[in-house]
Amino acid sequence: MTKQARGFDTDAAFAHLCRRDRKLGAWMRRLGPIPADPRWRKPFDPVDALARAILYQQLSGKAAATIVGRVEAAIDSDRFHCDTLARIDDATLRACGVSGNKTLALRDLARREAVGELPSLRKMTGMDDDAIVAALMPVRGIGRWTVEMMLMFRLGRPDVLPIDDLGIRKGAQVVDKADAMLAPKALAERGERWGPYRSYASFYLWRIADAAAGAKQQVARSQD
C-alpha cells in the first residue's frame, strides 16, 4: 500500500473548501486560515497515546492530568505500555484514581500490544484510515471518535469527518442556519463536498460552533 503522508497542504485545503462550499467558505474567510498542526511532524507512540486517551475520557483536563501524573509516578515512567503497566496491579491503579472500566481498558490495551495486535506508527503510514480504525476499535474503551482524533491531530490525515461529534454537528448547523443539528448520516452526506479535505473542514466547524456559543453568551450577558 502507498505510504500515507503525515499532514497536508492547508493552503490548498482552504482554497478547495472555499470553492466547494460558499457558506462554509464565508465563515472560513471570517475566521482566517488555520495553520498546519505542528504535531503532524512529531513522532509519537500510538499505544501511549491510546492509554492517555483512555485516562482522559469523561474527565476535565485538570482531573485527568492529576490521575495521569499519579500513574506515571506509580510505574516510574512517562510511557504507558504493556511492560510499564505490568509494574502495578489493579488495586494500585484504582488508588491512583483510575476507574474500574478504565483499568480493564488499560489491561486490554496492554494485552493487545504484548501479542502484537496493535500497529506501530511506522506501520500506520502504510495503512488507510479505515484500516487504522478497524485495527484500534477492538480495544476496550477505544471508540471510533478516539481513533478519528488520532488520525486528524497526530497522523494529519486530511479527509476525516467525525460525524458523531456534537461540536462538528453544531458547527454545520450554524453554517447552514438550520433549526436543528443534522443527524450523523445526513452530516456525512453534507460533507461529501468537502472531500478530500474533510479534516480541515472539521477544524473550522469546531471553531464555528465555539464562535456561535460565544456570541450567545455575549448576548445573554448584555441582557442581564
Side-chain angles (χ1 to χ4, degrees), residues 129-149:
D129 297 351
D130 289 338
I132 294 174
V133 170
L136 299 183
M137 274 190 60
V139 178
R140 184 186 179 105
I142 299 297
R144 186 178 187 90
W145 182 88
T146 300
V147 183
E148 288 171 337
M149 296 304 103

Side-chain angles (χ1 to χ4, degrees), residues 6 8 36 49 65 67 72 87 99 115-116 121 136 139 141-142 149 152 155 160-162 173 175 190 199 213 217:
R6 288 185 65 188
F8 54 90
I67 292 172
E72 287 176 340
R87 297 173 185 172
S99 70
V115 298
L121 178 58
L136 299 183
V139 178
I142 299 297
M149 296 304 103
M152 297 170 72
L155 293 171
V160 179
L161 179 63
Q173 179 188 3
V175 167
R190 171 74 173 84
S199 296
Q217 288 176 356

Side-chain angles (χ1 to χ4, degrees), residues 162-214:
I163 58 175
D164 295 310
D165 186 280
L166 289 178
I168 298 289
R169 293 171 63 199
K170 181 62 180 177
Q173 179 188 3
V174 173
V175 167
D176 291 339
K177 298 181 180 178
D179 293 332
M181 289 188 292
L182 288 173
K185 183 177 179 181
L187 178 58
E189 294 172 356
R190 171 74 173 84
E192 285 296 324
R193 72 181 71 182
W194 302 328
Y197 294 113
R198 288 181 290 179
S199 296
Y200 201 59
S202 297
F203 298 158
Y204 276 98
L205 293 174
W206 275 313
R207 292 200 178 188
I208 291 165
D210 288 344

Side-chain angles (χ1 to χ4, degrees), residues 78-109:
D78 60 0
R79 178 175 172 271
F80 296 126
H81 267 270
C82 58
D83 52 349
T84 57
L85 289 171
R87 297 173 185 172
I88 56 174
D89 57 20
D90 292 357
T92 306
L93 276 173
R94 295 298 299 274
C96 290
V98 181
S99 70
N101 283 336
K102 289 182 181 182
T103 296
L104 290 172
L106 289 174
R107 295 304 187 200
D108 185 51
L109 176 70

